[in-house]
Amino acid sequence: MIAYALRRLLIQLPILLVFSFVMYLVLFHAADPKARLQQIPGARAEDIQRIIEQQGLDKTWYEGYWGWLGDFVQGDWGASFSNKAVGAATLIWDRLPATLELMLVSLLLSILIAAPIGIYSALRRYTPFDYATTAFSYIGFAMPTFLLGLLLQMFAIWSQQNGWAVIPFTIGLILVLATVTTLLKPQRSSRGIAITAGVGFVLIWMSLAFWGSFGGDGQLIFKTAGRFTDAANGSMFSVDHLQHLALPVITLAVVNIAAWSRYQRSATIDVLSADYLRTARAKGLPERTVIGRHALRNALLPLITIVAIDIGFAFSGAVVTETVFGWPGIGRLLYDAALDGDITVAMGVIMLGAFMIVVFNLIADLAYAIADPRIRLA
Amino acid sequence: MSAQPLLQVRDLRVRFATMDGQVQAVDGVDLDLAAGETLGVVGESGSGKTVTALSLLRLIPSPPGRIAGGSILLDGRDLLALPDVDMRKVRGNEIAMIFQDPMTAMNPVLRIGRQLTEPLVNHQGMSRGQARARAAELMGLVGLADAARRLDDFPHQFSGGQRQRLMIAMALACNPKVLIADEPTTALDVTISAQILELMQDLQREFQSGIIIITHDLGVVARTADRVAVMYAGRVVEQGDVETIFARPSHPYTWSLLDSLPRLDGARGERLVPIPGSPPSLINKPSGCPFHPRCRVRREVCTSVQPPLVEVGAGHLAACVIGRDEAAAERERLAAAHADAA
């Protein structure tokens, strides 16, 4: 298996090389740092000329690419144009923990929510629960990330004005709306619908009764920007940090949950009609064992691949989410580098992402081979 | 037939709700099975064989399926009236089933040992260790070598024939009274299928189970069954001893089926006689006898009256207005006419 992994990685190296070349060409022609220098007010022509020579901005694309490739292979990934003190590698490594924290927390949350939703809606197909989660998936998947981010920020400001009561109020509202979506389909009345709607109304009523009693004194319950209130001394394990983490994590998780729960649902439905489940029932096993032992193991296999590949994408950062929430990760670094025409930094982030996608594609294959006894890698 | 058969099915009716309407998959089936006896159930695709078999275990997927009526008596106990918990104790314990395709009937991610021991742990309350020892024994019994080591293998590490042996071992684990084999050899090649049938007969002698073997292959019936039930459009149209059914078939469907098959002992150059038309829709069944549109000896009355299954000889039942002797004469006349035409 190790030999297989090494071989796979070696095969990918030329692809990464070609990819880096193409990306460099695109960035080289899209970004024009020289033009930005001209815009600096009061800059003298000879100073500009001096900076251009110092930074090597007058190089042709092939000189530039060759130089960048040398720096990249040696490990410092080239000097940043906009932040001369440090190399691109340092900038990226400094930002990476923030991105990884955000991405991994949201991935974990997504799995923990999406898999049970998908399995349960497959087992209870065409029930109100299934219709409600289907509706949620369509909305969650169709909603652009920046819009969801902005809506959550509006929610945060609303909570700033009215206190903690807005949270149960919103949950209640979602529950009531969820029952409404199920009423679009004609069906027998269900106790589940009644209970859900009832809980929703009680939550709304309770929160209205205590509206503004808890909080609502101008403090943000959910912080809308940054990673810590005090960036220099912030602790990973503080409430303040959780308050910062909540909204960007939700933003990223919603799309994942929407997609993965649908995926898990169809994978489970596939398994439910399998012959071996009929065999298991014919043995007289209780339904709990039939589902828990025979169905779920098979139904969860496909999700392994999806999740492993998505972890690879986590290393490229979430450009939109990090930008909306001012999250100091590599996604926003890439966004800033692209605006500044900082080719080395942009290339660094892109290549890190590309490499990790390659690695985690491989890990996805290896994980699948471990989980599914039928697959042997050669 | 003994006074109290082991398994007694009366007027079994199974319906499936589909977009196009109610499908009468099984429409009043009567079957009897004695201990140690092998009953062959024959019929073409869609005649209700498999649905009948699944009904015996109450494994009809519901919805859309539903057992709409009748009774299934096992040792005098009506299975259709049992609560789900008690029915589960029947499945795999008193009635076990072997499925058609051994490639898909086993869970691909569970080890064989686990799948073989499940019924033992579940029904007999054995410990894991006891069950494993018994599972190894069962594997030896069905002719799989090196059982102790192979218990930790996965299904894909076995060949098709080996997997069907494993399915048989799984089904026999609790020494069931009734073993239902749904097309057990259809997915296997000819030599392997002969071995599997032989194995089943050997084990039947040892375990004294009643076997219901479901097949569309008259050859399989001829070599294994004691009695035969021929199904057409969800009904049993003829039932009798295997010798009687092959030697003196009464229902036109049965002998048309036999005449459409090549025989090793047939005359050289004998021509096969196909059955015209195709099986009827089970949603809009033909009026009267469901076989009448394809029947070459139909009478006026066949379009309106559905004949009941009546005794035409000793232990020989048929559902046709034409009697056994008249049927034999008609069959001969048709065969002669066919030979002349050729």
Side-chain angles (χ1 to χ4, degrees), chain A residues 310-351:
Chain A
D310 276 358
I311 293 176
F313 278 96
F315 285 82
S316 3
V319 175
V320 174
T321 308
E322 288 183 11
T323 307
V324 169
F325 288 100
W327 192 263
I330 56 175
R332 215 181 78 197
L333 184 66
L334 176 62
Y335 175 80
D336 293 340
L339 286 185
D340 291 347
D342 199 343
I343 298 180
T344 51
V345 173
M347 280 301 287
V349 175
I350 289 168
M351 289 312 292

Side-chain angles (χ1 to χ4, degrees), chain A residues 127-159:
Chain A
T127 58
F129 178 84
D130 188 25
Y131 287 125
T133 50
T134 301
F136 163 82
S137 293
Y138 286 144
I139 296 169
F141 202 71
M143 178 122 58
T145 315
F146 76 90
L147 180 62
L148 181 60
L150 291 178
L151 287 174
L152 286 173
Q153 285 179 332
M154 285 168 62
F155 174 76
I157 289 165
W158 191 41
S159 77

